[in-house]
Amino acid sequence: MSNAETAGVHAPTAGEYIQHHLHHLQKDFSFANVEQHSLVDFGLFNLDSLVYSVVLGLLGCFLLWSAARRVTSGVPGRFQAAVEILLEMVDSQAKGVIKSANSRKLVSPLALTVFVWIFLMNAMDMLPVDALPAVWHGVGPGLGFNDYMRVVPTADLSTTLGLSFSVLLICLFYSVKIKGLGGWTHELVAAPFGDKVYLYPVNFLMQMIEFAAKTVSHGMRLFGNMFAGELIFMLIALMGGTWAWQFNPGDGMFWLGVGHVIAGVAWSIFHILVITLQAFIFMMLTLIYVGQAHDSH
């Protein structure tokens, strides 16, 4: 008999554990209008994703601001050198994609901010799976919330699609700015198959499909990779949890604990590359899409 059963404690099954960790801290923002007898329903919000996204965004801006404030003309410190290397990398990528120097004045800092922000959100996956959710479990119900919490904003599809939709809006802005409203509107019906009246409906449909495909794939790529990484960390945590709940010196569960440590360290080291690469890919696609908005068909 396991220690958990001896103590009369029910250990969660693997399915229950994963399902619990895949639930968001949600809030239904609905407002009733008593006078008009109507209800304004804004739907469910994933508060954990919103809060962590905002906090990490502010942290990223603060780090970049701190580096800019401490810039010296002499020998730079390690932090300044790291930010300068990152800045040069983003700027060189922007120059290779966006030919307009005037546009790069806004797009390059934007791309740098996107990279740092997404990297920080991805890096939340490196925290122990049960660390922050366990703290919230003791605090949330007392504040009137449920005890669910997910700490990786980019493992939430609503976050990644929100980011990709924002990129789409930036692309539309530059399309209108560079080509003019009339030129961009004409392009919607004249490309890609040619400026023929009978092809206008087909061209317009293809343009809408292109916008939708870019936006959805941009967000889904980041979400899919981070969600998969989060699941793997949960499975690794289950190995350690099984060892802790069912440990018996004579039943061989000891090796689950060893496997938990080895797999956790190995996947964490590999995941550093994943979170950096996914932030870089999202940034590069942002630059490419904005660059395409500058081109005329």
Side-chain angles (χ1 to χ4, degrees), residues 61-73 79-80 83-84:
C61 291
F62 174 76
L63 292 175
L64 294 176
W65 173 80
S66 298
R69 188 172 63 90
R70 299 175 183 177
V71 169
T72 61
S73 57
F79 180 59
Q80 179 183 332
V83 174
E84 287 180 354

Side-chain angles (χ1 to χ4, degrees), residues 209-292:
I209 293 175
E210 180 182 356
F211 286 140
K214 285 181 177 179
T215 303
V216 173
S217 63
H218 198 188
M220 286 290 292
R221 180 181 290 104
L222 177 60
F223 161 74
N225 282 278
M226 297 313 302
F227 183 76
E230 187 182 36
L231 281 179
I232 292 176
F233 272 122
M234 291 180 190
L235 294 175
I236 293 173
L238 274 173
M239 295 173 62
T242 302
W243 170 78
W245 281 98
Q246 301 181 7
F247 177 72
N248 191 324
D251 62 8
M253 286 294 179
F254 169 77
W255 296 109
L256 278 179
V258 175
H260 164 76
V261 174
I262 295 176
V265 171
W267 180 244
S268 296
I269 294 173
F270 176 74
H271 206 57
I272 294 174
L273 174 63
V274 173
I275 63 179
T276 306
L277 183 62
Q278 290 307 312
F280 178 78
I281 291 174
F282 195 96
M283 179 204 72
M284 282 303 304
L285 288 175
T286 299
L287 290 174
I288 291 171
Y289 292 159
V290 174
Q292 289 177 346

Side-chain angles (χ1 to χ4, degrees), residues 4 17 24 30 38 63-64 76 98 110-111 140 143 162 186 194 204 206 237 244 252 265-266 268 270 297:
Y17 178 84
H24 285 280
S30 302
S38 61
L63 292 175
L64 294 176
I98 302 172
L110 174 65
L143 298 176
H186 181 263
F204 181 78
M206 292 301 296
V265 171
S268 296
F270 176 74
H297 292 284

Side-chain angles (χ1 to χ4, degrees), residues 11-294:
T13 64
E16 291 172 344
Y17 178 84
I18 292 178
Q19 288 179 12
H20 180 84
H21 280 280
L22 290 180
H23 277 84
H24 285 280
L25 170 62
Q26 293 181 324
K27 177 67 175 178
D28 185 4
F29 287 94
S30 302
F31 302 93
N33 189 325
V34 179
E35 296 180 357
Q36 299 181 3
H37 304 288
S38 61
L39 180 67
V40 180
D41 188 1
F42 292 96
L44 287 173
F45 283 75
N46 294 339
L47 291 182
D48 42 14
S49 296
L50 285 171
V51 171
Y52 285 118
S53 297
V54 172
V55 171
L56 293 172
L58 293 175
L59 176 61
C61 291
F62 174 76
L63 292 175
L64 294 176
W65 173 80
S66 298
R69 188 172 63 90
R70 299 175 183 177
V71 169
T72 61
S73 57
V75 179
R78 294 181 180 178
F79 180 59
Q80 179 183 332
V83 174
E84 287 180 354
I85 292 173
L86 185 60
L87 179 61
E88 290 176 2
M89 181 271 292
V90 173
D91 190 55
S92 64
Q93 297 296 335
K95 287 180 179 178
V97 177
I98 302 172
K99 305 306 180 183
S100 172
N102 188 46
S103 295
R104 289 200 303 270
K105 292 180 181 179
L106 175 63
V107 176
S108 293
L110 174 65
L112 176 62
T113 304
V114 165
F115 177 83
V116 173
W117 189 19
I118 293 181
F119 175 82
L120 291 175
M121 289 192 288
N122 291 350
M124 294 294 287
D125 217 1
M126 303 296 291
L127 297 176
V129 173
D130 293 295
L132 293 177
V135 174
W136 181 251
H137 180 76
V139 176
L143 298 176
F145 295 95
N146 59 45
D147 63 344
Y148 299 122
M149 174 169 286
R150 294 180 67 181
V151 302
V152 186
T154 45
D156 180 3
L157 185 58
S158 61
T159 300
T160 58
L161 287 182
L163 291 170
S164 63
F165 183 73
S166 299
V167 173
L168 173 63
L169 294 180
I170 294 172
C171 293
L172 296 179
F173 168 77
Y174 274 105
S175 293
V176 175
K177 180 181 179 181
I178 300 298
K179 305 164 190 174
L181 182 59
W184 176 66
T185 304
H186 181 263
E187 185 179 83
L188 287 179
V189 297
F193 297 123
D195 189 7
K196 304 293 183 180
V197 175
Y198 60 86
L199 290 176
Y200 282 1
V202 179
N203 288 331
F204 181 78
L205 178 61
M206 292 301 296
Q207 291 278 357
M208 294 301 104
I209 293 175
E210 180 182 356
F211 286 140
K214 285 181 177 179
T215 303
V216 173
S217 63
H218 198 188
M220 286 290 292
R221 180 181 290 104
L222 177 60
F223 161 74
N225 282 278
M226 297 313 302
F227 183 76
E230 187 182 36
L231 281 179
I232 292 176
F233 272 122
M234 291 180 190
L235 294 175
I236 293 173
L238 274 173
M239 295 173 62
T242 302
W243 170 78
W245 281 98
Q246 301 181 7
F247 177 72
N248 191 324
D251 62 8
M253 286 294 179
F254 169 77
W255 296 109
L256 278 179
V258 175
H260 164 76
V261 174
I262 295 176
V265 171
W267 180 244
S268 296
I269 294 173
F270 176 74
H271 206 57
I272 294 174
L273 174 63
V274 173
I275 63 179
T276 306
L277 183 62
Q278 290 307 312
F280 178 78
I281 291 174
F282 195 96
M283 179 204 72
M284 282 303 304
L285 288 175
T286 299
L287 290 174
I288 291 171
Y289 292 159
V290 174
Q292 289 177 346
H294 286 68

